[in-house]
Amino acid sequence: MAILHKPVVAFGAVLLGAAAVNAMAEDYTITVWAGGTNQTSHYRVDAIVMAAELLEREASVLGEDLNITVESQVWSGWDDFKQAVTLAAESDTLPNIIVSGHEDIGPWSQAGAIRPIEDYVDFDAWPLNQLYDNLIDVASYNGQIWGIPQDAESRVFFFSKPKLKAIGYSDAQINNLSERVRSGDYDLYDMLDDVKKMQDEGVVEAGMGFAPRPTNGPDYWQFYQSFGGEMVDADSGKLVFDEQAMTDMYQFFVDAVDMGVVPRTYLGLEWDDWHRNVAAGNYGAWHGGTWHYSQWTASFGLTDFFDNVSYSLIPAGNKAGHANAITHPLVYLLSSSGSDDDAAIAAELIAIASEPRINSLHAVESGHLAIGADQVTVPLYANDYWTSEATEKLLPYANAIPNNADFGIYWDAMFQGLEAAWTGASSVEQAVSAARNEVTSALGSGVIVR
């Protein structure tokens, strides 16, 4: 649905350091498209609207006229959003600002759909100079900074406290569980044993012990890492297909199906059904993202989250792997459509939207994490228990999927193989072989097989 945001007052020219905007009265229409956006993450667009209003007021103080109209369109999912971006790129009708996952930087920059934002803003000046370096790295590709982090998050492993207690865990043992996961003392197979015990003792229903993410997503790369897999070679930058780690990862989910703690037909479950079961306390263990906290508490009726839910990193799978988490920041990107003046205005709006107080509105309401060091001093953010907990206990251990333009091919092959093994359509060996062949056939020397 398209939304038109029109600032109430007509304003004047800009404080743009780039001086890309004429000091005479100017009217701009800036379009913003955002994927993966729901009712708790509306600040992805509203922050740009706030930035436009602030920029107009600053211009007015200088006696200059500036009118910025922000038009936006949001998608709750990703497939339709990506399709819309692709079609718009083909017809040269891209919006000025695109809010998407950082993994799109590689292919979209190569396709000429976006322009490097470092050409329009000063990363040595506030507020951009306080953004976390690792998030700037995530927004970079081939030696250029293409985007500005819109948010950060961490993927989380969750346990039901009541279910753990029902199978004999004490409060002290539950409180220590996250540390056992972090140290590798409690792994994914310990988890399967616990949720199987929950089912055997009638604490949870059959097939409800373990509830992974029901659809494809970055989350599944965490399990590859749990078994020692690496996505990219640090020295060459090439993608890495680790056959043993992929085998162990697929086998883990096959074992979970064979133990009866997750159904063979589980993948494809509707997200709302998954959320409702989480909020109702029907699962023994599951994994998701920090932002799900806001969805469960705001939209699905989960109360007393901290009394009912324990959280940790994704456990290690074996001694070759380690407990981990993936952060999947969304980024503000400048499209290649429009004039340089349009791009300069859009970039300035993005920089303002990244200021700590404005970004904290999004972080706290949507359950995302800080994008910069100054943000943790903003009272709204600092006083929010969940964001503070996640920032301290999860984010330091998180890495990101690579911004390799070919990673999508690898990602699709990985998940297709997982589906085939999970559903029993292929053996684990056959699924790994098919995924490896798909990747090596498509990427050749661009992927290292270990």
Side-chain angles (χ1 to χ4, degrees), residues 95-102 104-105 108 114-115 117 139 146-148 331-335 346 350:
N96 303 102
I97 299 173
I98 308 172
V99 188
S100 192
H102 67 90
D104 292 320
I105 291 174
W108 288 357
I114 56 175
R115 61 181 96 198
I117 202 168
W146 292 85
I148 291 178
V331 289
Y332 284 121
L333 301 171
L334 287 179
S335 85
I350 292 170

Side-chain angles (χ1 to χ4, degrees), residues 152 165 194 209 260 265 360 408:
K165 286 183 179 179
D194 277 343
T265 56
S360 291

